[in-house]
Amino acid sequence: MSPQSRRRSQAGSVAPPNALFRELLHAARELLAVRSPLDAELMVSELLGTWWAQRHHSAGGAGVEKLVGEGLVEYAAEQRSPAALALLSGIACLGTSRQAVAAEQAAIDLMDSGVKAPGWADHLGAVAPAECYVNPDAWGDQDEIICVFSYAGEEPHALVSVVDYNAEGMIRDGWVTSRVDKLLEHCRKASGARAEDGFRQIDPPQARKVLQAALDATDAAEDPPVSDSFASYHAFIRARIRALPPAAGRGLRTKRTWSRERRALLAAEFLASDEAEDLSDRQAASRCADRIIDFGCDQDSGRPLRMSPVKVQNFMLSWLPRRVMLSSADRDAIPHVLAAWVRWAGHRRDLSAAAIGQTLDTVFDSMSTFSRIYRDPSEFGLDEQLVARLLPDSDLEALPRRAFAFPVLEGRHGGVDLSKLDPSNPADRRLLLAADHDTRTGSPSAAGVGRHIERHLAIADRLWRGSPPALWDAAQRLLDGGEDRHLVLHALMDVLDAAAGDEDAFESALRELATGLSDEDLQDLGGLEP
């Protein structure tokens, strides 16, 4: 089963779930021809990866893993065939926790009824971890976490997982090789004299802690920047992480918490350095240093001193334009402050002059693009004072959703000057929302008091915080579909009420409201060729 074997069915009607399950079970017959438990696991992992890209979708309140994954287990359990038993044996090791429990019991029932299990099935539960290693690149942008396993000492193999710290610490790629000795020797030679921060062995519990956090980050993202083959390895990676011993204590490179005081001390140390001596606007330099430190602490696993060409690009051309409201003074100062930071942090980390120079080149090359793509909030048609009221935290990314939540911020309502109200203040929010209703309906202010405004307040608070992100995603998709703003708010309020405090149910319903799992999606899942 190669990724190229998947295709979209051209049939005019959508296949019912059982037709999809028949195709998947038909593909699983290939498991009967293999002898290696490793080959069998990789084949099952590829099959389970068929619907991984649609993992956040739902239909009728059920997620894809339940709808398709658990549905496949139930279907296979009823078939009483060697192919069904082979598939269930694989899912028992590689599926989600719910899928694995159900598949194991179904496999036992089939064996008790006389269905013959494939020879490799007995070895799946015997997989055992051995050594683990980390192979970082020269910049610290990525770690290759290498974990060696075997089946009770037989058929050793290595799982290589690429953790990308410029992508919020996600696993972006993974693969498996049985040429373990050759892989390790290659890594040792490539690392050369870099002992402390080069290729080295780590404890298996450390590897598990890092890999679990990285896989969670990948799974949580709506559209993670993973390799084309990642979905095929996802279930295998998940299962191998479970096979590692549990982590107890600090991991290899987990995200460390930086207090505001510690960040301020680091900024002060930088501003007092020789590298920062020529920065003329000290106030702007201080604010820019705070941004650099926040980016390193919050987006790079608590490593503000680590700088690389890729990290500089992400900071200048993605994070700043999307997330931070900068004054004109800060916009002018940020490239110069960043260049000084690169020199200072590079010396602190004992980077070579060539490495520092490459990173500085990226800073200078990014300056013109940054000036072009950074959008002044006033370009959104909002004056500076109004923007400051909506963005007291300078979170530029929040501006559209907060303006959507509080469209009326000026004028008078019930004798109150709305321009004096603070939308971040819960008490002021009630008046702003009441004014919004009066402006829209012309009703007296008393009509805006009570349960109806309370419901609007609950949604407005979530939109202000961006919690959960799926809320604003749903609102945008409904707005893009031509829905009236007030009707969109009521749809969101209805979903929140129906969730009754269950955050998982709320997010699931929001995704269904925004996109749902269409018949076309189900048809795409059924595109396995026999």
Side-chain angles (χ1 to χ4, degrees):
M1 293 185 293
S2 66
Q4 291 75 20
S5 70
R6 299 192 181 96
R7 58 171 172 80
R8 180 183 296 276
S9 173
Q10 300 299 318
S13 59
V14 177
N18 280 358
L20 166 62
F21 297 151
R22 277 197 297 272
E23 287 197 57
L24 294 172
L25 187 57
H26 184 87
R29 292 193 302 179
E30 296 180 26
L31 292 167
L32 301 176
V34 303
R35 295 184 178 182
S36 163
L38 178 60
D39 289 343
E41 285 195 84
L42 291 173
M43 292 173 68
V44 172
S45 180
E46 183 178 359
L47 187 148
L48 294 178
T50 304
W51 57 86
W52 180 80
Q54 295 161 328
R55 64 199 176 282
H56 291 308
H57 292 186
S58 62
V64 171
E65 288 293 357
K66 178 176 178 60
L67 184 70
V68 180
E70 295 177 29
L72 176 61
V73 171
E74 294 175 5
Y75 179 83
E78 298 172 352
Q79 302 311 303
R80 298 176 57 84
S81 68
L85 179 54
L87 178 59
L88 290 169
S89 299
I91 295 177
C93 291
L94 299 175
T96 66
S97 297
R98 288 172 58 94
Q99 293 165 8
V101 170
E104 183 177 15
Q105 184 57 55
I108 292 172
D109 292 342
L110 289 185
M111 286 187 286
D112 288 345
S113 68
V115 179
K116 185 177 179 181
W120 49 259
D122 292 337
H123 299 280
L124 294 185
V127 65
E131 304 86 9
C132 295
Y133 305 85
V134 58
N135 187 36
D137 66 10
W139 297 104
D141 286 332
Q142 294 183 343
D143 282 341
E144 290 180 339
I145 307 296
I146 302 169
C147 300
V148 180
F149 299 88
S150 68
Y151 298 96
E154 300 295 327
E155 200 168 355
H157 54 279
L159 168 65
V160 183
S161 303
V162 179
V163 179
D164 190 336
Y165 298 103
N166 291 317
E168 300 184 15
M170 298 180 189
I171 296 181
R172 293 188 57 175
D173 199 4
W175 65 89
V176 177
T177 178
S178 58
R179 304 176 71 176
V180 177
D181 292 339
K182 185 173 183 179
L183 169 68
L184 299 181
E185 182 60 26
H186 170 77
C187 291
R188 291 188 184 98
K189 287 183 178 178
S191 182
R194 292 169 54 223
E196 229 179 83
D197 61 346
F199 177 74
R200 61 195 184 277
Q201 190 169 347
I202 59 174
D203 293 334
Q206 290 181 306
R208 174 171 176 158
K209 188 173 184 179
V210 173
L211 289 175
Q212 187 61 65
L215 186 63
D216 290 344
T218 306
D219 287 341
E222 288 287 341
D223 187 21
V226 296
S227 67
D228 291 341
S229 62
F230 176 79
S232 297
Y233 287 100
H234 176 266
F236 187 91
I237 294 171
R238 179 177 60 198
R240 285 300 184 268
I241 292 174
R242 291 195 298 239
L244 292 169
R250 189 172 175 179
L252 168 70
R253 188 176 280 168
T254 54
K255 192 170 183 177
R256 298 182 293 274
T257 301
W258 279 65
S259 66
R260 296 312 308 177
E261 293 77 10
R262 188 180 177 194
R263 298 183 193 206
L265 286 173
L266 186 63
E269 187 178 352
F270 162 68
L271 293 170
S273 68
D274 292 340
E275 290 81 1
E277 184 179 8
D278 293 333
L279 298 174
S280 56
D281 188 337
R282 304 300 289 182
Q283 289 186 336
S286 177
R287 291 191 296 269
C288 292
D290 289 342
R291 300 302 182 191
I292 296 169
I293 293 170
D294 288 345
F295 180 71
C297 291
D298 300 335
Q299 305 294 317
D300 188 25
S301 302
R303 297 184 296 169
L305 292 176
R306 189 191 76 82
M307 302 304 293
S308 73
V310 174
K311 184 177 178 180
V312 162
Q313 273 197 328
N314 287 345
F315 177 71
M316 288 281 288
L317 306 183
S318 179
W319 190 76
L320 274 180
R322 180 172 56 87
R323 292 294 303 274
V324 182
M325 183 179 70
L326 296 171
S327 67
S328 57
D330 292 356
R331 289 199 300 274
D332 292 339
I334 192 68
H336 307 289
V337 177
L338 182 59
W341 183 276
V342 166
R343 296 188 184 95
W344 178 70
H347 295 152
R348 288 275 300 265
R349 296 180 62 222
D350 293 325
L351 292 184
S352 67
I356 295 173
Q358 281 184 258
T359 310
L360 287 172
D361 287 344
T362 304
V363 175
F364 300 136
D365 291 343
S366 300
M367 288 175 64
S368 60
T369 303
F370 171 75
S371 298
R372 176 173 53 81
I373 67 174
Y374 184 85
R375 295 193 63 187
D376 188 325
S378 63
E379 295 179 11
F380 297 121
L382 305 173
D383 65 37
E384 186 175 343
Q385 289 185 344
L386 189 148
V387 170
R389 291 166 66 199
L390 288 172
L391 303 180
D393 52 3
S394 299
D395 185 358
L396 186 58
E397 190 177 43
L399 181 58
R401 68 173 188 268
R402 290 178 182 174
F404 170 77
F406 298 99
V408 178
L409 293 169
E410 297 178 311
R412 299 188 70 84
H413 171 71
V416 176
D417 184 355
L418 301 180
S419 65
K420 304 296 185 183
L421 299 182
D422 179 3
S424 67
N425 184 305
D428 290 353
R429 286 178 178 178
R430 181 181 296 275
L431 290 172
L432 290 170
L433 292 177
D436 176 28
H437 278 69
D438 286 1
T439 300
R440 188 181 62 83
T441 65
S443 58
S445 60
V449 180
R451 171 61 180 158
H452 189 65
I453 291 295
E454 291 293 336
R455 297 176 71 216
H456 274 278
L457 279 168
I459 284 293
D461 174 67
R462 286 178 172 272
L463 286 167
W464 183 275
R465 292 182 288 114
S467 177
L471 177 65
W472 179 231
D473 291 340
Q476 290 180 95
R477 293 181 186 182
L478 292 174
L479 291 168
D480 290 343
E483 294 290 348
D484 174 78
R485 170 186 169 273
H486 201 72
L487 293 179
V488 171
L489 284 169
H490 276 259
L492 300 177
M493 290 188 296
D494 290 342
V495 172
L496 180 60
D497 290 344
D502 185 333
E503 289 297 313
D504 290 338
F506 183 43
E507 290 198 54
S508 177
L510 285 171
R511 292 192 179 98
E512 187 174 351
L513 177 66
T515 57
L517 182 61
S518 67
D519 289 344
E520 187 177 346
D521 288 329
L522 283 175
Q523 184 76 6
D524 197 26
L525 288 177
L528 282 175
E529 288 182 349

